[in-house]
C-alpha cells in the first residue's frame, strides 16, 4: 500500500488551482483523493468529477467540491489506477467495477494520469482478467458470445449474488492469459450486442507513475 500511496501523492502534484479534476476509483485512487482533500483544506481551489459512488462519497467527506457532467466541456486532469499497464501504456482497468464511468471520464480528460505499484507494469496485457461490462438483459447470450471468442468469461459475484455496477450492469471477467492485439480485441468486444464497454483503455494515458516497495517513485517514459 505504501508504494501506491507514494505514486498517488506524486500524481497530485499535477493538480493546480482552478482545475476540473477527475477522481478515479480503487485502492490507489483512494490515496490520491485523500491527498487532494488535504490540499483543498489547505486552500487548493478545484472542482471534481468522481468515477464511482464510492469515490463521490469519499470526496464529499473530504470537502472536495463536486460537479455534474452537465456543467463541463472537458476535464483538466484525471488521476486513476490500473490493473495492468503494458509497454505502450495500454491499460486493463475495471478490477474495482467502475470501468465504464472511468472510461467516460478518461475520454473527457486532457491529461489522464495513471498511478500503479510497480508490479502492475507488464510486457503484455492479459494475465489480469479483463472486465467486460454487460447489460443484465440477455446476459447469458452475451456470455456465450464471449466464450466463442475464447475469452473464458466468469460472471462477477459479490458473495452469493451477482455483482451489480453503479450503472446497474453486470461484469464478466474474461480470462485471456495474454492479449497480443489489445486494440483489435477492444473493437471486437464492443461490437457484441449486450456489451456496454470493456476494461481495455487504448492510448488514453498521458502519464504513468509507478511506486515501488523500496520507497522509490518513477514517472515513466514511453
Amino acid at each position: 500500500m505504501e508504494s501506491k500511496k507514494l505514486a498517488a501523492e506524486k500524481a497530485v502534484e499535477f493538480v493546480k488551482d482552478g482545475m476540473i479534476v477527475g477522481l478515479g476509483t480503487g485502492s490507489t485512487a483512494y490515496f490520491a483523493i485523500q491527498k487532494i482533500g488535504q490540499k483543498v483544506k489547505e486552500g487548493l481551489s478545484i472542482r471534481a468529477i468522481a468515477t464511482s459512488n464510492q469515490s463521490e462519497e469519499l470526496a464529499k467527506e473530504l470537502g472536495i467540491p463536486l460537479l455534474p457532467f452537465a456543467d463541463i466541456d472537458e476535464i483538466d486532469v484525471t488521476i486513476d489506477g490500473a490493473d495492468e499497464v503494458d509497454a505502450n501504456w495500454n491499460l486493463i482497468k475495471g478490477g474495482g467495477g467502475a470501468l465504464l464511468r472511468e472510461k467516460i471520464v478518461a475520454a473527457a480528460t486532457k491529461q489522464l494520469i495513471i498511478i500503479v505499484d510497480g508490479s502492475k507494469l507488464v510486457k503484455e496485457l492479459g494475465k489480469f482478467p479483463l472486465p467486460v461490462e454487460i447489460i443484465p438483459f440477455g446476459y447469458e447470450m452475451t456470455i456465450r458470445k464471449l466464450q466463442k471468442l475464447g475469452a473464458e468469461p466468469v460472471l462477477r459475484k459479490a458473495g452469493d449474488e451477482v455483482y451489480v455496477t453503479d450503472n446497474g450492469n453486470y461484469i464478466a471477467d474474461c480470462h485471456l492469459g495474454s492479449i497480443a492485439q489489445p486494440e483489435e480485441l477492444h473493437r471486437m468486444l464492443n461490437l457484441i450486442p449486450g456489451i456496454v464497454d470493456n476494461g481495455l483503455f487504448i492510448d488514453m494515458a498521458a502519464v504513468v507513475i509507478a511506486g515501488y516497495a523500496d520507497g522509490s517513485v518513477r514517472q515513466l517514459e514511453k
Side-chain angles (χ1 to χ4, degrees), residues 84-155:
E84 285 186 341
V85 181
D86 74 10
N88 295 313
W89 294 8
N90 296 314
L91 318 171
I92 286 181
K93 290 177 51 55
L99 70 95
L100 180 58
R101 294 191 188 187
E102 287 173 338
K103 191 172 282 189
I104 291 169
V105 169
T109 297
K110 290 190 281 188
Q111 189 175 41
L112 175 62
I113 301 171
I114 296 297
I115 48 178
V116 293
D117 68 71
S119 68
K120 303 294 179 68
L121 305 175
V122 298
K123 184 177 180 181
E124 187 172 88
L125 301 177
K127 185 176 180 181
F128 189 92
L130 175 65
V132 177
E133 187 157 339
I134 61 179
I135 66 168
F137 177 80
Y139 77 91
E140 300 93 342
M141 178 64 73
T142 309
I143 291 286
R144 286 196 289 272
K145 289 187 176 181
L146 285 169
Q147 289 169 337
K148 287 179 182 178
L149 281 181
E152 296 188 27
V154 176
L155 195 64

Side-chain angles (χ1 to χ4, degrees), residues 166-183:
D166 289 345
N167 314 298
N169 296 319
Y170 298 162
I171 287 182
D173 291 304
C174 295
H175 297 255
L176 293 147
S178 64
I179 302 172
Q181 296 178 301
E183 188 171 355

